[in-house]
Amino acid sequence: MGPGWRTASAALVCGSVAIFAGLRRAALAVPRPDAVRSRPGRAWRWRNLLVSFAHSVLAGLWALFSLWHSPELLSNIQDGYSVSGHLLVCFSSGYFIHDSLDIIFNHQSRSSWEYLVHHSMAISAFVSLIITGRFLVAAILLLLVEVSNIFLTVRMLLKMSNVPSPALYEANKYVNLVMYFIFRLAPQSYLTWYFLRHVEVQGQGAFLTANLLLLDAMILMYFSRLLRSDFFPSLRKGSAGRDVDGEKFLID
């Protein structure tokens, strides 16, 4: 990648940040459920989740399209390249930057520190891909997780709004579990195996491998929380009667 393309990529990332800032302002006009309006501490989280939902829909479908349009990318994870995939990485980098700033500027860092760690990992990894032009396909595979996040975010929005129809939550609960396996656990497991087996443990390869292993631990932790919360509530510890207004992620 030449200097001009890197400059253009930086402009695309900044443009993405601006797009999500606009979406955050637009989310102010979306009607809030009574359960959100009656709890002032939930207003920020509701708006933040709406923006997250928009990113998940756009990025998840974009990642699927990129792989469907150019399936040959899967045979060259280290050096495969597509313009669509590059634009997707810039787009999602902008979202992660925007969401990090949203968390920090709204004084939610303490309650959302795990996502700040996740976002810092994603931003640093994606920037390295943009600069070097390598491992772009790995980023596209990782962004398949956004398909799963569509249903995970719907779950959190339903839980926040105290939706009166438990059947809707129950249906989404099982769809969310299936999508978690297909679009989160499966791509992550494959990429971890691939990096440990085929990627040099030095330089960018070592950095991305370390990121993947840390992300593995985070995903398994979140999966454990999800199972306890939705399928084995008797195993939950210390959550009874807890006020969740200060939490962004309603997993427990």
Side-chain angles (χ1 to χ4, degrees), residues 18-205:
I19 289 172
F20 285 105
L23 286 174
R24 180 174 58 82
R25 292 184 63 86
L28 292 171
V30 177
R32 289 175 289 175
D34 291 339
V36 174
R37 288 200 304 269
S38 62
R39 306 282 290 276
R42 292 189 173 191
W44 170 83
R45 190 165 70 252
W46 176 264
R47 185 174 68 250
N48 182 274
L49 287 173
L50 289 178
V51 176
S52 176
F53 178 76
H55 171 256
S56 294
V57 171
L58 294 171
L61 295 179
W62 195 339
L64 284 172
F65 170 79
S66 295
L67 294 175
W68 172 80
H69 185 262
S70 304
E72 68 278 2
L73 292 173
L74 294 173
S75 63
N76 192 0
I77 288 179
Q78 294 195 48
D79 298 308
Y81 179 82
S82 76
V83 173
S84 175
H86 187 98
L87 294 174
L88 171 60
V89 171
C90 292
F91 176 76
S92 287
S93 296
Y95 166 72
F96 291 130
I97 292 171
H98 169 269
D99 197 50
S100 299
L101 295 175
D102 192 30
I103 291 171
I104 293 169
F105 290 158
N106 285 280
H107 312 291
Q108 300 292 329
S109 300
R110 183 174 180 181
S111 59
S112 303
W113 67 268
E114 292 174 22
Y115 262 11
L116 286 178
V117 172
H118 171 273
H119 289 357
S120 65
M121 292 164 52
I123 293 167
S124 60
F126 284 2
V127 168
S128 78
L129 306 183
I130 292 171
I131 292 175
T132 66
R134 301 184 68 222
F135 298 107
L136 180 71
V137 182
I140 298 174
L141 285 171
L142 284 176
L143 285 169
L144 288 175
V145 72
E146 296 301 335
V147 178
S148 169
N149 281 345
I150 293 172
F151 302 93
L152 183 61
T153 306
V154 168
R155 171 192 180 274
M156 292 187 282
L157 290 170
L158 289 174
K159 200 165 187 178
M160 280 187 63
S161 59
N162 294 335
V163 62
S165 173
L168 181 58
Y169 185 91
E170 286 293 309
N172 184 76
K173 179 175 76 174
Y174 289 101
V175 174
N176 181 40
L177 183 65
V178 172
M179 294 298 174
Y180 204 101
F181 273 103
I182 296 174
F183 292 106
R184 188 183 297 262
L185 292 178
Q188 185 74 22
S189 299
Y190 173 72
L191 281 175
T192 301
W193 170 83
Y194 180 88
F195 269 74
L196 292 176
R197 186 179 179 91
H198 298 290
V199 176
E200 71 281 2
V201 188
Q202 59 182 1
Q204 186 186 20

Side-chain angles (χ1 to χ4, degrees), residues 200-215:
E200 71 281 2
V201 188
Q202 59 182 1
Q204 186 186 20
F207 170 69
L208 294 178
T209 300
N211 262 10
L212 269 178
L213 294 175
L214 181 54
L215 190 57

